[in-house]
Amino acid sequence: VCVVLLALAQFSCAAGTLVPERQSMPAARASLRPEYRVFYDTLSEYGAWVLIEPYGYVFRPNVNLDSWRPFGSGFWVPTDVYGWVWVSSEPYGWATYHYGDWFYDPYQAWVWIPGLEWAPAQVAWQATDTYVGWAPRMATGTSLSSIPGGAFSYVPASQLTATDLSSRIVQEK
C-alpha cells in the first residue's frame, strides 16, 4: 500500500509535475456583478456583450439592427396575478423582457442592461380609445426622440391578445 501511495504522489500536482490549466474569463463576464453572470453565460450564444459607458457591458441580440426592436416577437397574455405578461418567441426573452432595462444607442442600436428585479414585462403603456401601445422600459438618460420609429409599438386594442402580434404592430410615424 505504501508503494502505491508513493507512486501516486510522484504524479500529483503537489509534486510539481502537473499544473492545472487556468481558465481565462472574458472581460465582459468578469466585469459583470457575480449575480448577473448567469445572464452572460446563457445569453452569449444569442448576441454580443458590448461596453457602453456609463452602463458597462450590455447585451446586443444577434438581430437585424435596422428593423428589430424589443417586444416585437411574442404576444401578451392577461393574468389575474401579474396583469399583462409578455411571452417572447426569442430564446433570450426569458431574461431581456422580464429583468433589466433597454437602451437605444445610436451606434449599437437596441441593447439590454441586466437587472435583478423580475417583472411580467419591463414596459411602459399608452392607450387611446382604439389603440394600445407599449415601449421597453428605458434606462435613465435614454432620449426617446433618438429612437427610429419612436419608442412605442401599437396595435388596435381589440388585437392585443393576438398570438401573431408582430404582424399587427403599427409603429409611430
Side-chain angles (χ1 to χ4, degrees):
V1 174
C2 291
V3 173
V4 172
L5 289 175
L6 188 56
L8 287 175
Q10 291 178 358
F11 296 106
S12 72
C13 294
T17 57
L18 298 175
V19 178
E21 285 188 30
R22 246 193 124 136
Q23 297 265 338
S24 66
M25 184 181 299
R29 187 178 192 279
S31 73
L32 289 172
R33 292 174 31 192
E35 58 269 29
Y36 291 164
R37 290 180 184 163
V38 66
F39 297 126
Y40 178 91
D41 294 341
T42 55
L43 301 181
S44 290
E45 70 180 283
Y46 304 113
W49 287 87
V50 295
L51 181 61
I52 298 178
E53 293 300 344
Y55 305 104
Y57 279 94
V58 296
F59 176 72
R60 185 190 66 222
N62 287 335
V63 293
N64 179 338
L65 299 178
D66 294 328
S67 62
W68 183 88
R69 62 180 30 242
F71 294 96
S73 295
F75 56 94
W76 293 104
V77 175
T79 67
D80 292 333
V81 176
Y82 299 112
W84 291 97
V85 176
W86 180 254
V87 178
S88 175
S89 61
E90 297 159 317
Y92 47 83
W94 68 269
T96 60
Y97 299 127
H98 300 286
Y99 298 90
D101 295 314
W102 286 92
F103 174 74
Y104 186 82
D105 180 79
Y107 301 103
Q108 298 291 337
W110 286 101
V111 295
W112 175 74
I113 303 167
L116 295 177
E117 186 177 326
W118 184 88
Q122 301 282 28
V123 297
W125 292 93
Q126 286 185 350
T128 67
D129 291 339
T130 54
Y131 283 89
V132 176
W134 62 92
R137 189 175 79 179
M138 306 284 187
T140 304
T142 301
S143 169
L144 297 181
S145 63
S146 69
I147 300 171
F152 281 83
S153 297
Y154 296 93
V155 294
S158 63
Q159 297 178 13
L160 185 61
T161 58
T163 56
D164 62 340
L165 200 57
S166 62
S167 66
R168 301 166 190 257
I169 292 176
V170 178
Q171 297 307 136
E172 294 179 64
K173 299 290 182 208

